[in-house]
Amino acid sequence: MDIIESWFEQAKKLDSGESLFLECHSKADARSMLRKFKHIRSEYEKINPILTSTIELHTTFKDKKFWLVITKLSASPLVGFKKDMNGNLIKITLENDIDRERRIKLMIVDGMNLEEIKQNVHDLTNEEIELYFK
Protein backbone atom coordinates (compact mmCIF):
# COMPACT_ATOMS: atom_id res chain seq x y z
CA MET A 1 0.00 0.00 0.00
CA ASP A 2 1.46 3.34 -1.00
CA ILE A 3 1.22 6.60 0.95
CA ILE A 4 -1.80 7.90 -0.98
CA GLU A 5 -3.75 4.71 -0.25
CA SER A 6 -2.77 4.95 3.42
CA TRP A 7 -4.10 8.51 3.62
CA PHE A 8 -7.29 7.43 1.83
CA GLU A 9 -7.77 4.75 4.51
CA GLN A 10 -7.44 7.50 7.13
CA ALA A 11 -9.96 9.65 5.25
CA LYS A 12 -12.53 6.83 5.36
CA LYS A 13 -12.29 6.90 9.17
CA LEU A 14 -13.02 10.63 9.49
CA ASP A 15 -16.16 11.70 11.32
CA SER A 16 -18.66 13.92 9.51
CA GLY A 17 -17.31 17.45 9.15
CA GLU A 18 -13.68 16.50 9.84
CA SER A 19 -10.90 17.20 7.33
CA LEU A 20 -7.38 16.03 6.62
CA PHE A 21 -4.87 18.60 5.34
CA LEU A 22 -1.90 17.13 3.49
CA GLU A 23 0.93 19.56 2.80
CA CYS A 24 2.20 19.61 -0.80
CA HIS A 25 5.53 20.88 -2.16
CA SER A 26 4.00 22.90 -4.98
CA LYS A 27 0.81 23.62 -6.88
CA ALA A 28 1.74 20.87 -9.36
CA ASP A 29 2.31 18.44 -6.51
CA ALA A 30 -1.09 19.31 -5.03
CA ARG A 31 -2.79 18.71 -8.39
CA SER A 32 -0.94 15.43 -8.84
CA MET A 33 -1.99 14.21 -5.39
CA LEU A 34 -5.55 15.31 -6.10
CA ARG A 35 -5.61 13.21 -9.31
CA LYS A 36 -4.24 10.17 -7.44
CA PHE A 37 -6.82 10.53 -4.67
CA LYS A 38 -9.64 10.90 -7.19
CA HIS A 39 -8.46 7.73 -8.90
CA ILE A 40 -8.40 5.78 -5.63
CA ARG A 41 -11.82 7.17 -4.69
CA SER A 42 -13.27 6.10 -8.04
CA GLU A 43 -11.85 2.58 -7.58
CA TYR A 44 -13.24 2.36 -4.04
CA GLU A 45 -16.60 3.62 -5.30
CA LYS A 46 -17.13 0.17 -6.85
CA ILE A 47 -16.95 -1.31 -3.35
CA ASN A 48 -18.77 1.33 -1.30
CA PRO A 49 -20.42 4.09 -3.33
CA ILE A 50 -22.21 5.52 -0.29
CA LEU A 51 -19.01 6.17 1.65
CA THR A 52 -17.13 7.60 -1.33
CA SER A 53 -19.94 10.04 -2.08
CA THR A 54 -19.28 11.64 1.32
CA ILE A 55 -15.55 12.23 0.70
CA GLU A 56 -14.77 15.61 -0.83
CA LEU A 57 -11.36 16.39 -2.30
CA HIS A 58 -9.88 19.77 -3.22
CA THR A 59 -6.66 21.78 -3.10
CA THR A 60 -6.06 25.09 -1.38
CA PHE A 61 -3.31 27.62 -0.70
CA LYS A 62 -3.14 28.63 2.96
CA ASP A 63 -0.35 30.04 5.14
CA LYS A 64 1.93 30.24 2.08
CA LYS A 65 1.62 26.48 1.50
CA PHE A 66 -0.28 24.26 -0.90
CA TRP A 67 -2.57 21.67 0.66
CA LEU A 68 -4.69 18.75 -0.43
CA VAL A 69 -7.86 18.83 1.67
CA ILE A 70 -9.94 15.71 2.25
CA THR A 71 -13.26 16.35 3.98
CA LYS A 72 -15.92 13.92 5.17
CA LEU A 73 -19.22 15.60 4.34
CA SER A 74 -21.94 15.59 6.96
CA ALA A 75 -24.83 15.06 4.55
CA SER A 76 -25.70 11.45 3.83
CA PRO A 77 -26.77 10.54 0.30
CA LEU A 78 -29.21 8.09 1.90
CA VAL A 79 -31.22 10.81 3.67
CA GLY A 80 -33.65 13.14 1.96
CA PHE A 81 -36.71 15.17 2.87
CA LYS A 82 -40.17 15.31 1.37
CA LYS A 83 -42.27 18.44 1.75
CA ASP A 84 -45.94 17.66 2.40
CA MET A 85 -48.92 19.82 1.40
CA ASN A 86 -48.73 21.72 4.71
CA GLY A 87 -45.09 22.64 4.18
CA ASN A 88 -43.78 20.16 6.77
CA LEU A 89 -40.58 18.31 5.98
CA ILE A 90 -40.68 14.54 6.35
CA LYS A 91 -37.37 12.69 6.61
CA ILE A 92 -36.91 9.80 4.17
CA THR A 93 -34.04 7.36 4.59
CA LEU A 94 -33.02 4.97 1.83
CA GLU A 95 -31.59 1.63 2.74
CA ASN A 96 -28.07 0.87 1.61
CA ASP A 97 -28.40 -2.04 -0.87
CA ILE A 98 -25.01 -3.44 0.15
CA ASP A 99 -26.06 -3.64 3.82
CA ARG A 100 -29.45 -5.08 2.87
CA GLU A 101 -27.91 -7.85 0.76
CA ARG A 102 -25.42 -8.68 3.51
CA ARG A 103 -28.19 -8.86 6.14
CA ILE A 104 -30.27 -11.21 3.98
CA LYS A 105 -27.29 -13.49 3.33
CA LEU A 106 -26.41 -13.59 7.02
CA MET A 107 -30.00 -14.50 7.96
CA ILE A 108 -29.88 -17.37 5.48
CA VAL A 109 -26.53 -18.56 6.88
CA ASP A 110 -28.07 -18.38 10.37
CA GLY A 111 -30.76 -20.80 9.19
CA MET A 112 -33.74 -18.44 9.02
CA ASN A 113 -36.52 -19.45 6.62
CA LEU A 114 -38.29 -17.17 4.13
CA GLU A 115 -41.10 -16.20 6.50
CA GLU A 116 -38.68 -15.24 9.29
CA ILE A 117 -36.63 -13.15 6.87
CA LYS A 118 -39.78 -11.41 5.59
CA GLN A 119 -40.55 -10.37 9.18
CA ASN A 120 -37.09 -8.79 9.52
CA VAL A 121 -36.63 -7.38 6.02
CA HIS A 122 -39.70 -5.42 5.08
CA ASP A 123 -40.60 -5.09 1.40
CA LEU A 124 -38.60 -8.15 0.32
CA THR A 125 -38.85 -8.10 -3.49
CA ASN A 126 -39.79 -10.98 -5.77
CA GLU A 127 -36.32 -10.73 -7.33
CA GLU A 128 -34.70 -11.18 -3.91
CA ILE A 129 -36.94 -14.15 -3.12
CA GLU A 130 -36.02 -15.80 -6.43
CA LEU A 131 -32.34 -15.01 -5.97
CA TYR A 132 -32.01 -16.39 -2.45
CA PHE A 133 -34.74 -19.03 -2.14
CA LYS A 134 -35.11 -20.83 -5.49
Side-chain angles (χ1 to χ4, degrees), residues 17-124:
E18 289 184 328
S19 296
L20 286 174
F21 285 75
L22 304 179
E23 187 175 353
C24 303
H25 302 293
S26 65
K27 186 175 185 177
D29 183 39
R31 287 183 179 167
S32 174
M33 285 183 65
L34 179 63
R35 277 192 306 277
K36 290 175 185 174
F37 266 94
K38 285 183 175 181
H39 175 74
I40 290 171
R41 182 178 64 181
S42 70
E43 289 297 312
Y44 191 75
E45 187 172 17
K46 298 171 189 169
I47 299 167
N48 191 339
I50 304 302
L51 175 64
T52 54
S53 68
T54 64
I55 296 175
E56 179 185 71
L57 304 166
H58 69 275
T59 59
T60 191
F61 185 74
K62 185 176 183 174
D63 300 328
K64 299 181 183 178
K65 297 177 184 176
F66 290 97
W67 301 89
L68 172 68
V69 183
I70 307 162
T71 303
K72 183 81 169 279
L73 302 175
S74 57
S76 170
L78 297 176
V79 177
F81 293 88
K82 177 176 83 171
K83 190 175 190 180
D84 68 13
M85 293 178 7
N86 297 324
N88 299 318
L89 293 178
I90 301 165
K91 184 177 181 179
I92 299 173
T93 303
L94 300 177
E95 187 170 5
N96 183 343
D97 287 341
I98 295 168
D99 291 341
R100 178 184 177 93
E101 180 180 334
R102 184 170 182 273
R103 270 196 355 259
I104 293 170
K105 287 179 179 178
L106 286 173
M107 285 187 260
I108 292 168
V109 168
D110 288 345
M112 295 176 80
N113 63 35
L114 177 58
E115 292 306 314
E116 292 171 318
I117 292 173
K118 280 183 178 179
Q119 290 174 357
N120 289 289
V121 180
H122 306 292
D123 68 340
L124 196 63

